Amino acid sequence: MKYILLLALAGLLSSCKKEKVVVYANEGTITGIDLRECPCLAQCPCACGSLVFHFTDGTDSSRMIIDNPAIFQLPDNPRFPVHVKLNWQNTSRCNMKAIKVTDYATF
């Protein structure tokens, strides 16, 4: 009888669904839309309409180029600054240091 009760309890506990917790590598702030590259004259992917982004949890808080700004699903006329947690990879855009955002959440 004890074993049946233990098996039933183990089955109940293993069937509980746990929420997936996403851990983000860094935090940052989107401070606005960058119009400096409009119109785009370079022979590389145009950065027109990209976002002005800065990491806020490290020593380097300089403006960072985001290689894939369309990943951010911001509403029309967003209220800046937008604070985000994100996962990213190093990349480059026109031989300039950039990041590719792989996942994010606003907070």
Side-chain angles (χ1 to χ4, degrees):
M1 182 73 168
K2 288 184 194 178
Y3 295 111
I4 295 173
L5 184 58
L6 285 174
L7 285 173
L9 183 59
L12 275 174
L13 292 176
S14 67
S15 67
C16 293
K17 292 184 180 181
K18 295 181 182 178
E19 259 186 59
K20 182 180 176 184
V21 177
V22 179
V23 177
Y24 294 97
N26 292 100
E27 293 181 3
T29 302
I30 302 168
T31 57
I33 298 172
D34 188 356
L35 301 176
R36 292 187 295 176
E37 299 297 322
C38 296
C40 187
L41 301 174
Q43 295 294 326
C44 59
C46 188
C48 181
S50 188
L51 301 170
V52 179
F53 176 81
H54 304 273
F55 285 110
T56 58
D57 62 348
T59 57
D60 184 7
S61 63
S62 62
R63 178 183 174 270
M64 182 60 60
I65 296 171
I66 298 176
D67 192 49
N68 58 336
I71 192 170
F72 292 106
Q73 300 296 314
L74 300 176
D76 293 338
N77 301 316
R79 298 185 93 189
F80 294 109
V82 176
H83 302 284
V84 295
K85 297 178 183 182
L86 68 158
N87 292 322
W88 56 278
Q89 301 170 341
N90 279 319
T91 188
S92 64
R93 179 178 275 251
C94 303
N95 297 320
M96 294 175 59
K97 181 181 173 185
I99 62 169
K100 178 180 179 182
V101 177
T102 58
D103 190 22
Y104 81 97
T106 58
F107 68 98

